[in-house]
Amino acid sequence: MSTVKEPWELGVMRSSGRRLAEVVAALKEAVVPGVTTAELDALAEARIRALGGVPSFKGYRVGRNVFPASICASVNNEVVHGIPGGRELHAGDVVSIDVGLIYGGYHSDCAFTVVLDGSSSEVARLLDVTRKSLYEGIAQALPGNRIGDIGHAVQSFVEPHRFGIIREYVGHGIGRLLHETPSVPNYGKPRRGLLIKAGMCLAVEPMITMGSYKTKVLADGWTVVTADGSLAAHFEHTIAVTPKGPEILTVLEGQDALN
Ligand code: MG
């Protein structure tokens, strides 16, 4: 699969990303104490379909495992791929929501983490560092750079804070498929890896923990948790590499991507 998209494909990717940003904005408003993750999932699916999209994750298959929902909702020590259900969210919960849609045949993928009525400054710092590390990584998505430059930027931003950087799950190319080449790790060496070219579309997604980077998968076959039980955060945008630099696709028109 070619990793470089035609200009018309980038146009469709942009339309896809803007729609996903609308879904993300609705989810950010809806994630409050008392709501269940199944309710958030239903809201996301309804919004995706109302915007002419199809959920990327629902029916996504890895081997014999089929993901049953339109969002991943990962709470506290859950890192990614949590399955929405009857769990009610409470004040103090750290909630990561990952959502993807297909529009016009092209996927976009976006994630954010919030703490509900949070008072812990350490949790606030985890979220702040993870979110900022995403933008550090994205800033390196320049033509002529290499994939290792993205991971190196994330790693060198996060490590001084003594947080753990998940190794087993990484960002990815994105387009007609949810997961395309190349893999985009959140660690790496500068000037290593695949050459970045204009026209590439990437999902950059640091997953950071308050403890170790080690993970395990629960018996449901999907939910990834920290091996040491520490809290985790996850932020993600879908971007296009342009000759002028990275363009974040999963933003509302006119929105400052940093908010
Ligand atoms: Mg992703």
Side-chain angles (χ1 to χ4, degrees):
M1 159 97 39
S2 165
T3 56
V4 170
K5 267 104 186 145
E6 301 290 337
W8 70 266
E9 295 182 285
L10 294 179
V12 183
M13 288 292 296
R14 206 170 276 126
S15 301
S16 177
R18 283 202 180 132
R19 280 168 172 77
L20 186 58
E22 288 191 39
V23 178
V24 166
L27 283 166
K28 281 180 177 169
E29 277 191 28
V31 57
V32 292
V35 76
T36 68
T37 53
E39 287 167 343
L40 296 174
D41 179 56
L43 171 122
E45 180 169 0
R47 292 300 289 257
I48 289 169
R49 295 195 189 279
L51 291 162
V54 175
S56 290
F57 301 172
K58 197 171 190 175
Y60 186 84
R61 200 174 265 279
V62 177
R64 298 172 68 184
N65 285 345
V66 180
F67 196 78
S70 299
I71 65 169
C72 301
S74 308
V75 183
N76 297 331
N77 63 316
E78 298 171 358
V79 185
V80 286
H81 306 166
I83 300 172
R87 178 179 195 158
E88 205 172 281
L89 298 176
H90 296 113
D93 279 342
V94 176
V95 185
S96 297
I97 295 182
D98 194 347
V99 59
L101 65 75
I102 315 165
Y103 178 78
Y106 286 80
H107 290 262
S108 47
D109 194 359
C110 189
F112 65 94
T113 303
V114 291
V115 55
L116 301 186
D117 297 341
S119 56
S120 155
S121 62
E122 193 59 7
V123 171
R125 200 166 68 85
L126 173 72
L127 269 51
D128 190 50
V129 166
T130 308
R131 191 177 57 80
K132 285 180 176 158
S133 76
L134 168 62
Y135 294 102
E136 293 289 321
I138 288 172
Q140 295 303 315
L142 302 164
N145 270 4
R146 290 183 180 271
I147 291 296
D149 291 308
I150 296 175
H152 179 71
V154 173
Q155 184 177 16
S156 44
F157 183 78
V158 170
E159 281 186 344
H161 295 277
R162 301 186 174 278
F163 292 140
I165 301 169
I166 300 291
R167 260 87 172 145
E168 290 159 290
Y169 302 89
V170 296
H172 48 91
I174 183 166
R176 284 199 170 276
L177 300 176
L178 178 59
H179 297 116
E180 298 186 352
T181 55
S183 289
V184 184
N186 296 301
Y187 55 90
K189 293 193 164 67
R191 314 310 303 159
R192 297 285 180 86
L194 191 75
L195 186 66
I196 297 172
K197 294 179 185 166
M200 283 182 171
C201 293
L202 304 172
V204 183
E205 50 175 324
M207 291 154 258
I208 308 298
T209 81
M210 261 193 204
S212 159
Y213 64 84
K214 292 189 176 143
T215 62
K216 56 187 184 184
V217 179
L218 297 186
D220 63 23
W222 286 104
T223 312
V224 177
V225 298
T226 53
D228 61 5
S230 61
L231 296 173
H234 177 209
F235 284 84
E236 175 180 28
H237 274 306
T238 297
I239 65 152
V241 180
T242 79
K244 289 187 232 159
E247 176 186 346
I248 299 177
L249 301 176
T250 37
V251 287
L252 300 170
E253 192 156 13
Q255 182 194 38
D256 177 358
L258 292 170
N259 289 315

